Protein backbone atom coordinates (compact mmCIF):
# COMPACT_ATOMS: atom_id res chain seq x y z
CA UNK A 1 0.00 0.00 0.00
CA UNK A 2 1.46 3.31 -1.04
CA UNK A 3 -0.62 5.66 1.07
CA UNK A 4 -2.28 5.33 4.45
CA UNK A 5 -6.04 5.70 4.19
CA UNK A 6 -7.83 8.42 6.10
CA UNK A 7 -9.61 6.93 9.11
CA UNK A 8 -13.38 6.56 8.87
CA UNK A 9 -15.22 9.84 8.40
CA UNK A 10 -12.25 12.10 9.21
CA UNK A 11 -12.13 15.53 7.65
CA UNK A 12 -9.54 18.31 7.88
CA UNK A 13 -12.42 20.43 9.16
CA UNK A 14 -13.44 18.12 12.05
CA UNK A 15 -11.25 20.00 14.56
CA UNK A 16 -8.86 17.11 15.26
CA UNK A 17 -5.68 19.01 14.38
CA UNK A 18 -3.50 16.39 16.14
CA UNK A 19 -4.59 13.67 13.69
CA UNK A 20 -4.07 15.88 10.64
CA UNK A 21 -0.77 17.28 11.90
CA UNK A 22 0.58 13.77 12.44
CA UNK A 23 -0.53 12.82 8.92
CA UNK A 24 0.61 15.89 7.02
CA UNK A 25 3.10 17.65 9.28
CA UNK A 26 1.10 20.86 9.21
CA UNK A 27 -2.30 22.25 10.12
CA UNK A 28 -3.57 25.84 10.29
CA UNK A 29 -4.50 25.49 13.99
CA UNK A 30 -1.18 23.92 15.06
CA UNK A 31 2.15 25.67 15.59
CA UNK A 32 4.65 24.59 12.92
CA UNK A 33 7.05 22.97 15.39
CA UNK A 34 4.29 20.98 17.08
CA UNK A 35 2.86 19.78 13.76
CA UNK A 36 6.30 18.78 12.45
CA UNK A 37 7.16 16.91 15.65
CA UNK A 38 3.78 15.13 15.59
CA UNK A 39 4.53 13.89 12.07
CA UNK A 40 8.10 12.87 12.97
CA UNK A 41 6.86 10.97 16.06
CA UNK A 42 3.85 9.47 14.23
CA UNK A 43 1.48 11.06 16.73
CA UNK A 44 3.05 9.44 19.82
CA UNK A 45 4.73 10.78 22.94
CA UNK A 46 8.37 9.65 22.99
CA UNK A 47 8.35 9.28 26.78
CA UNK A 48 5.28 7.07 27.36
CA UNK A 49 4.58 5.87 23.81
CA UNK A 50 0.88 6.78 23.92
CA UNK A 51 -0.87 8.65 21.14
CA UNK A 52 -1.62 12.33 21.59
CA UNK A 53 -5.24 13.53 21.60
CA UNK A 54 -6.33 17.04 20.72
CA UNK A 55 -7.27 17.78 24.35
CA UNK A 56 -3.82 16.72 25.72
CA UNK A 57 -1.32 19.24 27.00
CA UNK A 58 1.72 18.94 24.72
CA UNK A 59 5.12 20.45 25.42
CA UNK A 60 8.25 20.66 23.33
CA UNK A 61 11.32 19.30 25.09
CA UNK A 62 15.01 19.33 24.28
CA UNK A 63 16.42 15.78 24.42
CA UNK A 64 19.75 17.23 25.50
CA UNK A 65 18.92 20.32 27.58
CA UNK A 66 20.17 23.61 26.18
CA UNK A 67 21.92 24.23 29.49
CA UNK A 68 24.03 21.15 28.73
CA UNK A 69 24.90 22.16 25.18
CA UNK A 70 21.82 20.84 23.36
CA UNK A 71 20.89 22.61 20.13
CA UNK A 72 17.53 24.11 19.19
CA UNK A 73 17.10 21.80 16.16
CA UNK A 74 14.51 19.16 15.29
CA UNK A 75 16.95 16.30 15.90
CA UNK A 76 17.21 17.51 19.53
CA UNK A 77 13.49 18.21 20.02
CA UNK A 78 10.65 15.94 21.06
CA UNK A 79 6.99 16.46 21.82
CA UNK A 80 5.84 15.13 25.19
CA UNK A 81 2.64 15.10 27.23
CA UNK A 82 2.78 17.76 29.95
CA UNK A 83 3.11 15.20 32.75
CA UNK A 84 5.73 13.21 30.79
CA UNK A 85 7.73 16.42 30.34
CA UNK A 86 7.58 17.04 34.10
CA UNK A 87 8.82 13.49 34.80
CA UNK A 88 11.65 13.76 32.25
CA UNK A 89 12.76 17.15 33.57
CA UNK A 90 12.83 15.80 37.13
CA UNK A 91 14.86 12.80 36.01
CA UNK A 92 17.27 15.10 34.12
CA UNK A 93 17.86 17.15 37.26
CA UNK A 94 18.59 14.08 39.40
CA UNK A 95 20.87 12.41 36.86
CA UNK A 96 24.25 12.50 38.52
CA UNK A 97 27.44 11.88 36.63
CA UNK A 98 29.69 9.44 38.45
CA UNK A 99 33.23 10.80 38.48
CA UNK A 100 36.00 8.59 37.21
CA UNK A 101 37.92 6.81 39.94
CA UNK A 102 41.63 7.48 39.93
CA UNK A 103 43.20 4.07 40.59
CA UNK A 104 46.59 5.57 41.51
CA UNK A 105 44.98 7.82 44.11
CA UNK A 106 43.13 4.86 45.65
CA UNK A 107 46.32 2.80 45.81
CA UNK A 108 48.13 5.60 47.65
CA UNK A 109 45.14 6.56 49.86
CA UNK A 110 43.07 3.43 50.57
CA UNK A 111 40.91 5.14 53.26
Amino acid sequence: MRHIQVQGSRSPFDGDWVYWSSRMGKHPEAPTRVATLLKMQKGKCTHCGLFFHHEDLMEIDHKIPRSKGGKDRYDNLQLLHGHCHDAKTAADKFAVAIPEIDEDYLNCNPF
Side-chain angles (χ1 to χ4, degrees):
M1 183 184 291
R2 186 172 176 175
H3 300 286
I4 298 171
Q5 285 188 322
V6 174
Q7 294 177 350
S9 61
R10 298 267 188 176
S11 162
F13 308 105
D14 65 5
D16 191 357
W17 61 268
V18 172
Y19 174 78
W20 291 101
S21 293
S22 57
R23 275 188 66 90
M24 303 184 315
K26 60 184 176 178
H27 191 274
E29 296 177 23
T32 304
R33 269 190 169 178
V34 171
T36 303
L37 289 169
L38 276 168
K39 182 163 177 75
M40 289 171 57
Q41 296 174 202
K42 297 181 169 91
K44 293 182 182 179
C45 174
T46 56
H47 188 76
C48 67
L50 298 176
F51 283 101
F52 288 106
H53 299 286
H54 67 276
E55 66 272 359
D56 289 343
L57 175 63
M58 294 175 241
E59 297 179 358
I60 296 173
D61 175 61
H62 290 85
K63 295 174 187 174
I64 300 170
R66 295 197 64 199
S67 61
K68 295 183 179 170
K71 303 293 181 195
D72 200 24
R73 299 185 328 214
Y74 280 110
D75 61 349
N76 189 42
L77 295 176
Q78 59 188 349
L79 193 63
L80 304 175
H81 290 108
H83 59 277
C84 292
H85 189 215
D86 293 342
K88 184 203 172 271
T89 302
D92 286 347
K93 288 182 180 176
F94 289 112
V96 177
I98 299 172
E100 284 189 35
I101 298 173
D102 185 2
E103 293 294 328
D104 293 331
Y105 177 81
L106 288 177
N107 290 334
C108 296
N109 302 299
F111 296 102

